[in-house]
Amino acid sequence: MDRNNEKPSCGRGARNAAKPAQKDPPASIGAEEDTHNLNLYASITLEAILEPTNLKEALKRVIANRGAPGVDGMEVGQLLDWIRSHPGQLTKAIKEGTYRPSPVKRASIPKEEPGKFRDLGIPTVIDRLVQQATAQVLDWTYDRDFSDRSFGFRRNMRAHHALRVITAEADQGYRWAVDMDLAKFFDTVNHSRLIRKLSLKIKDGRVISLIHKKLRSGVQIKGEIKPTEIGLMQGGPLSPLLANIYLDELDKELEKRGHRFARYADDLICICKSRRAAERTLASLTRFVQEKMLLKVNREKSHVAYISSPQTKFLGYGFYYSRTKREVRLTIHEKSKQKLKDTIRKLLSRSPKTSIESVKQLLAQKLRGWMNYFQLADAQRWTQGVDRWIRRRIRQLLWKTWKKVKTRIRALVKLGADPNQAYYWGCTRKGYWRISNSHILTTTLTTDFLKQRGWSWLGCFRG
DNA sequence: TAGGTTTTCAC
RNA sequence: GUUGUGAAAACCUA
């Protein structure tokens, strides 16, 4: 067992000790560990997965996600009713081995780069439930064996940790970055290899078979069902964990070679002291990944670059060297800045169906989340620059809508309205405008409703 | 302290 | 048409 391996120092080896109370493991696992002190992996059983509390937890999660339905069309809102009306049916089918996951529904969503799409497979809500239940059990035992330098999809790991580790080591002279991109990682995972890996630790054959069934459940594209011989469908609750299990071998190999690196899902950065060393490791890593891991390396997107070059992008950040402070610092990558501007522009440019106040509130909410993530970057230039840009946009918006309100009120006054009255109503093609001192609201109201509430009706006018 | 909602980010 | 995991923040209710 390689659990007690000496790991290359990365400054935070005592992660598990620092936060002991993460989340309680499923009851059966904890009990088994304490009373019998057996091998931890012996507690990955079908019974642990099907335990009522575990299933309940999984059910709550699936419903809370409010995800779209799979091929059978069942909504998450119907899941609870289905379980209630078919008591014990699902667990019985799983225990007897007659449970077969439905094929996943194919959906293509556009990626950042225009014209490129990311395929994802949406399982049925029921399949999501059983996957979630198994993921909860597997995660608890597998997570502790993962490398300290694997940061994606893991409990108590955040992107900020990875960035701190990399900047700290870049400061120690590792300034040449190997950026490795795995081409379509999820789609190229080798099934038999993954199953073999799982069998090393999971002794319950029924669990292995359950996962195997999930891997082989086909994909439905336009009503036609196609089998899946390779690849993990991204979209299942279990997929991220399986990805980490598959790539764990890569982490271990890099650790063995003593490299400074960080991996976030399929995004790998490895930093070296010289350009020659970086190029050498890129070549040897490519060989390792393609021959041993049976994955594809995207040669066009994998490259060696100096850490402060605009090419190196890690988790939305870029790096630069501050001459005055004499250290490597983080900055927000161009792509991320552009993305923020796009979302803000979209939010501000849509017609004022809601009040200005609520738009401002929405904006503040969005910005809070954004700033929170990019707080590691130098605030000096960028967050302030973006802040100024947004303020200017808000002022523009306010001015424009105020102008609209004023012209509308003037038009109404011409028609004989009292300008001191609180509310006026008008109507456009899109709906009714309620005009008060600072708000414009459209609502779909009927004239009867207006009469009922005693609001003044001033006839139609154009927007 | 515990339930819930929302937003953001990474992949 | 938008799945999934992980993380953070703000708020709400007892």
Side-chain angles (χ1 to χ4, degrees):
Chain A
M1 204 120 308
D2 50 11
R3 193 182 310 166
N4 298 323
N5 259 1
E6 191 74 33
K7 279 159 189 162
S9 75
C10 71
R12 20 166 306 286
R15 171 175 52 88
N16 287 335
K19 271 192 177 179
Q22 310 177 343
K23 195 183 172 185
D24 286 337
S28 66
I29 288 175
E32 193 131 348
E33 190 183 17
D34 289 338
T35 54
H36 300 100
N37 198 19
L38 287 172
N39 182 358
L40 198 62
Y41 301 110
S43 56
I44 303 180
T45 59
L46 201 63
E47 279 71 29
I49 291 169
L50 295 180
E51 218 200 7
T53 53
N54 188 46
L55 284 177
K56 213 163 204 166
E57 202 67 26
L59 179 70
K60 204 159 71 179
R61 167 61 81 84
V62 172
I63 292 171
N65 275 350
R66 292 220 208 80
V71 285
D72 62 351
M74 189 195 282
E75 311 254 352
V76 283
Q78 300 168 264
L79 182 58
L80 193 59
D81 287 336
W82 188 89
I83 300 267
R84 289 238 173 93
S85 57
H86 302 77
Q89 184 174 318
L90 185 62
T91 54
K92 186 157 165 281
I94 292 170
K95 265 188 204 148
E96 290 172 354
T98 55
Y99 163 76
R100 289 279 179 284
S102 311
V104 293
K105 194 171 81 180
R106 161 65 55 86
S108 295
I109 57 172
K111 289 219 288 203
E112 321 244 328
E113 308 133 78
K116 289 211 169 185
F117 287 89
R118 194 162 68 103
D119 289 336
L120 41 90
I122 304 169
T124 310
V125 281
I126 294 169
D127 294 340
R128 288 212 287 266
L129 172 68
V130 341
Q131 272 189 52
Q132 179 67 37
T134 66
Q136 280 165 6
V137 172
L138 291 202
D139 180 71
W140 184 254
T141 57
Y142 264 96
D143 192 73
R144 63 171 56 193
D145 285 353
F146 287 151
S147 165
D148 274 348
R149 288 164 178 277
S150 162
F151 294 91
F153 307 140
R154 289 187 57 193
R155 225 163 248 294
N156 291 13
M157 287 293 214
R158 51 199 87 170
H160 290 160
H161 284 160
L163 290 159
R164 289 234 164 119
V165 168
I166 291 297
T167 42
E169 285 174 350
D171 251 350
Q172 290 163 18
Y174 297 87
R175 302 251 172 89
W176 285 93
V178 178
D179 215 321
M180 198 156 84
D181 187 75
L182 300 176
K184 297 248 176 188
F185 162 66
F186 275 91
D187 298 334
T188 51
V189 168
N190 185 283
H191 282 187
S192 60
R193 204 181 156 76
L194 176 60
I195 291 290
R196 211 181 320 136
K197 247 181 200 315
L198 288 167
S199 313
L200 293 177
K201 289 176 178 174
I202 301 173
K203 299 304 177 196
D204 190 339
R206 297 168 301 170
V207 176
I208 297 285
S209 141
L210 187 66
I211 295 170
H212 197 85
K213 275 180 202 155
K214 168 241 158 36
L215 289 175
R216 308 189 49 86
S217 72
V219 54
Q220 190 181 78
I221 307 167
K222 292 178 197 149
E224 219 169 303
I225 296 171
K226 290 193 175 167
T228 46
E229 250 85 49
I230 52 159
L232 280 174
M233 264 346 253
Q234 36 192 327
L238 192 54
S239 298
L241 180 62
L242 291 181
N244 268 341
I245 289 171
Y246 195 85
L247 286 176
D248 181 54
E249 199 180 334
L250 180 59
D251 299 332
K252 293 290 151 64
E253 178 67 21
L254 282 159
E255 279 182 358
K256 211 174 79 190
R257 299 185 189 180
H259 276 128
R260 315 289 165 125
F261 71 98
R263 182 175 69 79
Y264 197 101
D266 60 341
D267 194 358
L268 181 76
I269 191 170
C270 180
I271 49 178
C272 307
K273 282 203 166 163
S274 70
R275 172 168 221 146
R276 273 184 62 86
E279 273 160 2
R280 221 168 34 233
T281 62
L282 175 60
S284 78
L285 275 184
T286 302
R287 209 168 338 121
F288 180 82
V289 165
Q290 302 210 131
E291 287 169 14
K292 287 261 169 61
M293 310 279 305
L294 304 175
L295 296 169
K296 274 232 171 75
V297 172
N298 192 339
R299 282 170 189 277
E300 281 75 38
K301 289 176 100 180
S302 305
H303 56 259
V304 168
Y306 199 68
I307 197 155
S308 59
S309 91
Q311 273 186 75
T312 52
K313 168 176 182 276
F314 190 53
L315 305 177
Y317 281 84
F319 303 86
Y320 77 96
Y321 183 76
S322 160
R323 280 182 190 282
T324 55
K325 293 272 165 73
R326 294 183 171 276
E327 60 184 9
V328 175
R329 299 191 144 210
L330 288 164
T331 154
I332 303 168
H333 195 89
E334 266 315 311
K335 295 247 179 77
S336 306
K337 280 183 236 159
Q338 197 53 48
K339 212 162 107 187
L340 173 77
K341 284 195 175 184
D342 287 346
T343 59
I344 300 290
R345 191 168 293 145
K346 209 167 64 193
L347 191 112
L348 290 185
S349 68
R350 69 178 186 202
S351 58
K353 290 185 174 172
T354 50
S355 75
I356 294 159
E357 284 306 312
S358 73
V359 169
K360 267 164 81 175
Q361 213 172 337
L362 210 65
L363 205 56
Q365 211 176 23
K366 279 185 203 287
L367 275 176
R368 190 170 47 224
W370 191 83
M371 292 234 202
N372 189 257
Y373 180 76
F374 286 109
Q375 70 191 156
L376 288 189
D378 253 347
Q380 225 60 12
R381 228 174 2 178
W382 278 113
T383 44
Q384 262 185 17
V386 169
D387 198 7
R388 256 209 305 279
W389 180 82
I390 286 161
R391 262 183 219 169
R392 213 171 55 228
R393 292 301 307 250
I394 291 176
R395 220 171 295 136
Q396 277 174 15
L397 178 84
L398 283 171
W399 187 77
K400 243 160 71 180
T401 46
W402 257 114
K403 217 172 118 183
K404 265 189 202 164
V405 171
K406 274 188 188 163
T407 55
R408 284 230 163 82
I409 289 180
R410 213 171 296 147
L412 288 169
V413 168
K414 255 188 186 167
L415 289 169
D418 177 10
N420 296 319
Q421 193 136 1
Y423 298 111
Y424 297 106
W425 288 88
C427 121
T428 62
R429 242 172 275 116
K430 287 194 174 175
Y432 292 91
W433 294 90
R434 191 180 96 189
I435 301 173
S436 75
N437 281 340
S438 60
H439 300 256
I440 298 178
L441 302 156
T442 56
T443 38
T444 49
L445 298 174
T446 59
T447 47
D448 289 340
F449 181 80
L450 293 176
K451 276 181 200 158
Q452 232 176 37
R453 301 293 289 266
W455 280 325
S456 48
W457 168 251
L458 291 157
C460 285
F461 60 96
R462 252 178 229 139

